Amino acid sequence: MAIRDIKAALEAHRAAELHGNTLGPWIHDIVYGAHDGIVTTFAVVAGTAGAGLPWGVVIILGMANLLADAVSMGAGSFLSIRNKRDQYHRIRREELAEIDAIPEIEREEIREAYAAKGFSGKDLDRVVDVITSDKDRWAEAMMQEEHGMTEEKAEGAFLHGLATFLGFVVFGSVPLIPYFVFHGGSDNFTYAIVGTAIALLLVGVTRSLVTRERIYRGAIEILLIGGVTASIAYGVGVALKGVAGM
């Protein structure tokens, strides 16, 4: 196969892989935020329904929880990525300092790392010479081989946080929709259960597609987690209804 054909085939392969596609990371963030949004908001709805609280209280508590948790989740995702980036640069500076101070030891660490990968003899000498001939390349290799770290892109941190926030808000709104549409309707909680189950199944199927699992596995797992969480919240609401004098 000609080199041009191989490169074209490689590009097609990368485009077909979620981990090689620019959409992949955002799908993970959206699914992560969506799952937590649905489960936590429906837990509030279930708890208030179990306590027999009026629909207005459900909306107030549900919206307060939805927006506060969405901001918290988005900020958490943003800070997590930024903190990893900051830690990476701190350790990389330390590695560069060690390369200047004790190059023989750092060079031997590279040799051991690549010997463990199966390099030996002249091949090992060559790869060590190539890596240690450039300080930036050397430090990068040390980060990966010694610390198992790669650089997190700072400019992507905000977008990851935003994707998590939007996933949380959009899907987390589902359990509240019946209470906005039908106000004090007697079947609101039933509609919320049905809508939440559908949303959880959708998120589960999406997660399965992203992780390349069997489709039903992710859907069933997420649905079970949501069901257990809602049952606990509903039970707490029923149990504490009398204690609160309602």
Side-chain angles (χ1 to χ4, degrees), residues 40-224:
T40 57
T41 305
F42 186 65
V44 172
V45 172
T48 53
L53 299 178
W55 70 273
V57 175
V58 176
I59 289 179
I60 293 172
L61 293 180
M63 288 300 299
N65 172 82
L66 177 68
L67 295 177
D69 278 3
V71 172
S72 177
M73 289 281 293
S77 178
F78 166 77
L79 291 174
S80 176
I81 294 174
R82 195 177 67 173
N83 288 342
K84 287 180 181 178
R85 188 257 348 241
D86 291 343
Q87 183 184 26
Y88 172 90
H89 286 296
R90 176 183 62 81
I91 297 176
R92 191 175 187 277
R93 286 194 298 271
E94 293 174 357
E95 287 294 341
L96 285 169
E98 289 178 350
I99 289 172
D100 287 333
I102 47 174
E104 297 83 3
I105 295 176
E106 294 297 301
R107 182 182 177 89
E108 186 59 27
E109 285 184 332
I110 290 292
R111 178 176 292 278
E112 289 183 354
Y114 280 85
K117 294 178 182 290
F119 289 88
S120 62
K122 292 183 178 180
D123 290 335
L124 179 58
D125 291 338
R126 176 61 178 163
V127 74
V128 171
D129 287 341
V130 170
I131 290 174
T132 58
S133 64
D134 181 86
K135 285 180 61 176
D136 287 331
R137 185 190 304 129
W138 191 349
E140 190 69 31
M142 292 299 298
M143 293 300 296
Q144 294 182 17
E145 302 302 333
E146 184 177 3
H147 303 285
M149 298 178 68
T150 57
E151 185 176 9
E152 296 284 350
K153 300 300 182 182
E155 62 270 17
F158 174 78
L159 294 178
H160 280 284
L162 180 61
T164 302
F165 171 82
L166 292 176
F168 194 103
V169 169
V170 172
F171 283 87
S173 301
V174 171
L176 296 174
I177 291 176
Y179 293 89
F180 277 102
V181 175
F182 302 110
H183 300 291
S186 59
D187 294 327
N188 282 353
F189 186 51
T190 300
Y191 295 145
I193 292 174
V194 174
T196 299
I198 294 173
L200 284 171
L201 287 172
L202 178 60
V203 172
V205 169
T206 303
R207 193 193 76 173
S208 293
L209 293 174
V210 171
T211 59
R212 304 300 175 89
E213 299 174 348
R214 294 178 180 176
I215 291 180
Y216 67 83
R217 178 181 173 183
I220 291 175
E221 284 180 351
I222 286 185
L223 190 60
L224 285 176

Side-chain angles (χ1 to χ4, degrees), residues 222-242:
I222 286 185
L223 190 60
L224 285 176
I225 292 171
V228 170
T229 304
S231 298
I232 293 172
Y234 187 84
V236 170
V238 172
L240 296 183
K241 181 178 179 181

